[in-house]
Amino acid sequence: MTCVEELNELYALENDLSFETHASGLTLARVNIPECQAECMLHGAHVLSYRPAHRERSILFLSDQAVFAQGKPIRGGIPICFPWFGSHPTDQTLPAHGWARTQAWELIETARTKNQVILRMALAQDELYSICELAFGAELSIDVSVTNGSDIPRTFEIALHTYFEINSITDVEVSGLENVPYVDQLKNEIHPGENTTIRFEEETDRIYQGSVKKITLSERNQKTQFIIEPRGSRSTIVWNPWIEKSKRMADFGDEEYLRMCCIETANVRANQIKLAAGQTHSTGATIRLA
Ligand code: BG6
């Protein structure tokens, strides 16, 4: 029996959830319920698309040049960056944003509630035991819990690197991070925070440090509002590569920066998570249209 046949036998949910082999050979879960349609790779426990009912297309951006291959990250959707964010703090030969986004997670449970399909996937490495729970319904929830399975204290960083699909980066604004201090990663400077909404006119790469309850990404002309409600998170990364960096990224179109904006629910740098032996921490977010 192939892996996909086995997954369908054990975990498919009638017409609501099925498994298939993606053109790349990676395994794809497909959700199709009245509330939404969605696709998720077991590779990286990576949500590729999520389209709530009454919306024409996914609210998540996925690059036309995304690479789908074992050991490679996928450009778009929701990569899970873990257990470090950006470059590894001491070993530059290790992959950016950690190993979780480039490995096959193991599906451990699926469930159907009245209006949601739930997938649970697990990954165990370096004595860190992670469970990603995805709930697809009228909203999308993602929660990643990490348990320190070693007998010494451990630290880690995590970011739910969500790429939102927008019509034009010059027409959006982000609210909810006013007066939150941030690190400008491009200038390596700390800012006390600004009391205005965020707009985009150049490459933007900021780590906001502070707990927030709700962030709104609004499209001015299209009147679309994406709402992000973080849980267990004390950092938010706001990223758009703009013109020059887009050209440098091999798996990203030169003009695609216009159509995406990343708002990442996270715990990084000064707000990395410290776990005593046996302790668990969960980072999550609910994403929906207003
Ligand atoms: C963002 C970082 O979260 O991810 C950026 O803040 C980085 O600095 C971006 O460039 C994309 O990273 P990657 O490894 O997916 O190209």
Side-chain angles (χ1 to χ4, degrees), residues 75 85 96-97 101 161 163 185 205 237 239 245 264:
R75 180 73 64 199
F85 177 78
H97 288 334
R101 65 175 179 166
H161 195 310
Y163 287 77
Q185 297 224 85
D205 193 349
I237 294 100
W239 179 60
K245 181 147 184 172
E264 311 169 30

Side-chain angles (χ1 to χ4, degrees), residues 241-276:
W242 217 253
I243 300 166
E244 295 308 321
K245 181 147 184 172
S246 296
K247 291 184 187 158
R248 293 197 299 272
M249 294 195 296
D251 58 349
F252 191 80
D254 289 358
E255 312 251 294
E256 286 188 321
Y257 75 94
L258 290 164
R259 292 198 291 118
M260 55 70 71
C261 180
C262 284
I263 300 183
E264 311 169 30
T265 297
N267 288 298
V268 301
R269 307 295 186 257
N271 287 332
Q272 67 179 346
I273 302 294
K274 300 177 184 70
L275 287 181

Side-chain angles (χ1 to χ4, degrees), residues 158-260:
I158 185 163
L160 310 176
H161 195 310
T162 312
Y163 287 77
F164 289 93
E165 165 111 8
I166 53 176
N167 283 298
S168 174
I169 188 69
T170 53
D171 276 336
V172 296
E173 62 182 8
V174 176
S175 60
L177 291 164
E178 294 82 351
N179 302 314
V180 178
Y182 67 86
V183 177
D184 184 328
Q185 297 224 85
L186 302 168
K187 298 185 184 139
N188 208 13
E189 281 173 9
I190 299 177
H191 286 252
E194 287 147 7
N195 64 2
T196 52
T197 56
I198 303 163
R199 298 207 173 158
F200 298 86
E201 293 169 339
E202 59 187 347
E203 183 177 354
T204 303
D205 193 349
R206 298 178 181 177
I207 301 177
Y208 287 82
Q209 294 290 30
S211 286
V212 292
K213 288 205 162 63
K214 180 175 165 185
I215 301 169
T216 306
L217 168 63
S218 310
E219 295 204 274
R220 271 176 291 191
N221 298 338
Q222 309 297 321
K223 298 199 171 68
T224 306
Q225 285 197 327
F226 305 93
I227 312 278
I228 304 129
E229 290 166 330
R231 290 178 286 280
S233 152
R234 294 200 295 151
S235 312
T236 306
I237 294 100
V238 176
W239 179 60
N240 181 287
W242 217 253
I243 300 166
E244 295 308 321
K245 181 147 184 172
S246 296
K247 291 184 187 158
R248 293 197 299 272
M249 294 195 296
D251 58 349
F252 191 80
D254 289 358
E255 312 251 294
E256 286 188 321
Y257 75 94
L258 290 164
R259 292 198 291 118
M260 55 70 71

Side-chain angles (χ1 to χ4, degrees), residues 134-150:
L134 299 171
F136 298 99
E139 343 179 288
L140 166 62
S141 287
I142 171 167
D143 289 276
V144 181
S145 72
V146 178
T147 301
N148 175 7
S150 75

Side-chain angles (χ1 to χ4, degrees), residues 1-10 19-21 27:
M1 200 152 51
T2 67
C3 181
V4 162
E5 281 166 348
E6 202 171 334
L7 286 171
N8 276 316
E9 193 159 298
L10 293 172
F19 297 89
E20 58 196 72
T21 303
T27 305

